[in-house]
């Protein structure tokens, strides 16, 4: 009988994208914050490693892999949107920008993967503001990816890749573009005095953020593993190579 070990089975990458919208629709800065964590989900498996990597425009941004002892190895700087704009280019409201994101299986066992994208706005002090996340418009790819509408809102989009991701293989892009609605240009207050008329834009100095959470689950006993890790019922075919939402 093979010796079976219990290890954490759900590596997760959480990446944050943020860009400051300034008066005149410019981008004052673009930065990314990277945090790793693992839910308390464990399962038995033969000695193996499980891992995921987030790829931006074909390049690995960051990755996390667990070995058979449950120890994690992380790689990558986790910086996003570094090449969204050309040198001296200003961000334009209503313009669609390429931002291709995909998931790579960086472990040595096959996995199913899920992505959770969360959109929000913050003011100059970093506090959340009452501005619709729907104004942050994302373009998605339907090639093997499915959006769970029941779990998604204007603020959050939950995507599942319906096919097994083999070791060292990469999914098709789940996200293709990002766009900030030009409706923001109509959101201003007109201030008049005896000599001047000024327009104070509602979004001036605000920050739009996009958090991308990527995680993976083993294909062995996939139906139960996914229920335990992600809290959702799915249908899995007999050879555990494809899933569909229940």
């Amino acid at each position: 009988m093979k010796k079976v070990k219990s290890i954490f089975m759900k590596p997760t990458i959480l990446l944050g994208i943020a860009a400051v919208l300034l008066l005149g629709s410019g981008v004052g800065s673009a930065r990314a914050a990277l945090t790793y964590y693992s839910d308390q989900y464990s399962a038995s498996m033969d000695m193996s490693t499980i891992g995921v990597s987030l790829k931006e425009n074909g390049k690995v941004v960051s990755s996390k892999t667990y070995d058979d002892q449950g120890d994690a190895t992380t790689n990558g700087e986790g910086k996003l949107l570094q090449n969204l704009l050309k040198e001296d280019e200003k961000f334009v409201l209503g313009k669609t920008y390429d931002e291709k994101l995909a998931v790579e299986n960086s472990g040595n066992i096959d996995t199913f993967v899920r992505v959770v994208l969360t959109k929000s706005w913050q003011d100059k002090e970093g506090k959340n503001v009452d501005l619709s996340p729907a104004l942050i418009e994302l373009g998605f790819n339907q090639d093997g990816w499915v959006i769970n509408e029941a779990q998604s809102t204007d603020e959050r989009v939950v995507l599942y890749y319906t096919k097994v991701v083999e070791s060292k293989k990469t999914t098709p892009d789940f996200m293709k573009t990002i766009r900030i609605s030009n409706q923001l240009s109509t959101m201003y207050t007109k201030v008049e005095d005896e000599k001047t008329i000024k327009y104070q834009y509602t979004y001036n100095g605000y920050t739009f953020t996009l958090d991308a959470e990527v995680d993976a689950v083993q294909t062995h006993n996939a139906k139960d593993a996914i229920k335990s890790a992600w809290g959702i019922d799915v249908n899995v075919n007999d050879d555990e190579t494809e899933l569909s939402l229940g």
Side-chain angles (χ1 to χ4, degrees):
M1 176 181 290
K2 288 186 178 181
K3 186 176 180 181
V4 176
K5 292 197 173 184
S6 178
I7 69 171
F8 287 112
M9 291 296 300
K10 189 188 174 192
T12 301
I13 299 174
L14 179 62
L15 286 162
I17 306 170
V20 179
L21 290 177
L22 301 177
L23 186 63
S25 305
V27 173
S29 66
R31 61 189 185 275
L34 176 63
T35 304
Y36 295 100
Y37 67 91
S38 175
D39 288 350
Q40 296 298 309
Y41 166 64
S42 62
S44 295
M45 59 168 287
D46 296 334
M47 296 176 64
S48 307
T49 63
I50 185 170
V52 287
S53 298
L54 180 63
K55 301 179 77 172
E56 179 189 36
N57 299 321
K59 297 182 179 180
V60 173
V61 177
S62 193
S63 63
K64 186 172 187 177
T65 303
Y66 283 94
D67 63 20
D68 62 311
Q69 302 298 319
D71 297 323
T73 300
T74 59
N75 294 286
E77 297 180 356
K79 294 181 179 179
L80 296 169
L81 299 182
Q82 298 304 295
N83 300 308
L84 186 67
L85 302 179
K86 298 178 181 178
E87 187 175 357
D88 298 326
E89 181 184 5
K90 289 187 177 181
F91 191 89
V92 178
L93 292 178
K95 180 177 178 179
T96 299
Y97 293 89
D98 289 337
E99 181 63 12
K100 298 178 180 179
L101 300 178
V103 179
E104 179 185 358
N105 180 350
S106 51
N108 65 10
I109 64 170
D110 297 346
T111 60
F112 287 109
V113 297
R114 178 188 71 166
V115 176
V116 180
L117 300 173
T118 305
K119 304 178 292 182
S120 63
W121 295 90
Q122 295 178 348
D123 62 16
K124 296 177 182 179
E125 286 72 41
K127 297 179 181 179
N128 290 335
V129 294
D130 187 19
L131 187 59
S132 174
L135 295 170
I136 306 169
E137 300 172 353
L138 309 178
F140 297 107
N141 183 9
Q142 300 299 316
D143 185 8
W145 289 93
V146 60
I147 296 175
N148 188 330
E149 300 292 349
Q151 293 181 309
S152 300
T153 63
D154 284 345
E155 180 181 12
R156 185 179 74 162
V157 181
V158 183
L159 302 100
Y160 294 85
Y161 189 57
T162 59
K163 302 177 182 179
V164 65
V165 186
E166 298 178 354
S167 175
K168 311 308 178 186
K169 299 294 185 180
T170 301
T171 69
D173 298 329
F174 61 84
M175 179 173 147
K176 301 182 295 182
T177 60
I178 186 169
R179 176 181 182 268
I180 303 301
S181 174
N182 56 14
Q183 290 183 36
L184 287 174
S185 64
T186 67
M187 299 178 182
Y188 60 84
T189 301
K190 186 177 179 180
V191 180
E192 299 183 52
D193 58 29
E194 294 181 355
K195 297 181 179 180
T196 62
I197 298 176
K198 295 181 179 180
Y199 295 91
Q200 297 179 349
Y201 286 88
T202 304
Y203 64 86
N204 188 29
Y206 281 16
T207 300
F208 67 88
T209 65
L210 175 66
D211 294 329
E213 177 188 326
V214 183
D215 47 22
V217 168
Q218 69 186 63
T219 58
H220 181 62
N221 293 327
K223 186 178 179 69
D224 292 337
I226 289 171
K227 177 66 172 180
S228 179
W230 298 336
I232 184 174
D233 291 311
V234 298
N235 301 311
V236 180
N237 63 352
D238 291 340
D239 57 3
E240 298 186 314
T241 58
E242 295 186 14
L243 66 79
S244 61
L245 301 183

